[in-house]
Amino acid sequence: LVFLAALAAVQIANYFKVRRSEKVRELVRKTVGFVEPLVPHRAAEMRWFVVVSLTAGICEEFLYRGYLIWAVGSYTGWWGAAAFSVVAFAVAHAYQGRRGILTAGALGVLLTAVVALTGSLAPAMAVHAWVDFGSGMISWGALRED
């Protein structure tokens, strides 16, 4: 819970930094790159992005840190399955380019550690949803049209 609060504080601060500085907005625009069509540009899109973030957080964590580790774990052990799930999660984000694969891989390691430490998918689902929401919020701050 403390981690999630700290993450929220950082992302909210970054959103306001983006809103105050044209230089930072330009940096975010360059960083978003070719996934720009997937992130919100209008308030209505941001509202739907909240739903997408929640869905991704719940479903992807169930799939990668839940089902995949369970299914592969009987062959490789928990840690082998966890490593496999991180790689699968990273590769699933290949549409975001090389940087997206690396970022998703790092996030996958963090989320796997959360599951290992807590013994539950729920905290990882919350962190994942918040990371996605925060990324959308920061992107919206840089790209908003309304």
Side-chain angles (χ1 to χ4, degrees):
L1 194 56
V2 172
F3 176 77
L4 197 55
L7 178 62
V10 168
Q11 288 181 317
I12 290 167
N14 285 338
Y15 170 80
F16 285 111
K17 193 182 297 183
V18 166
R19 293 304 301 150
R20 284 191 305 265
S21 168
E22 179 57 39
K23 186 176 180 179
V24 176
R25 279 194 298 278
E26 186 57 36
L27 178 64
V28 171
R29 287 183 199 114
K30 287 179 184 175
T31 303
V32 170
F34 59 88
V35 295
E36 182 188 336
L38 303 176
V39 296
H41 293 71
R42 294 176 192 81
E45 293 172 351
M46 188 61 216
R47 287 190 291 275
W48 280 108
F49 200 83
V50 172
V51 175
V52 170
S53 298
L54 288 170
T55 302
I58 293 167
C59 295
E60 289 182 11
E61 289 313 303
F62 178 78
L63 177 64
Y64 291 101
R65 253 70 55 197
Y67 176 76
L68 198 56
I69 290 176
W70 172 80
V72 176
S74 61
Y75 301 103
T76 64
W78 195 92
W79 289 106
F84 179 79
S85 79
V86 167
V87 171
F89 182 71
V91 170
H93 291 80
Y95 69 93
Q96 296 177 0
R98 186 177 184 187
R99 184 174 182 183
I101 293 171
L102 295 174
T103 302
L107 180 61
V109 169
L110 171 72
L111 294 169
T112 302
V114 168
V115 171
L117 291 171
T118 65
S120 172
L121 290 175
M125 289 174 173
V127 170
H128 188 148
W130 188 266
V131 166
D132 286 0
F133 167 73
S135 297
M137 182 177 62
I138 291 166
S139 297
W140 177 54
L143 302 168
R144 63 194 294 176
E145 297 173 358
D146 50 6

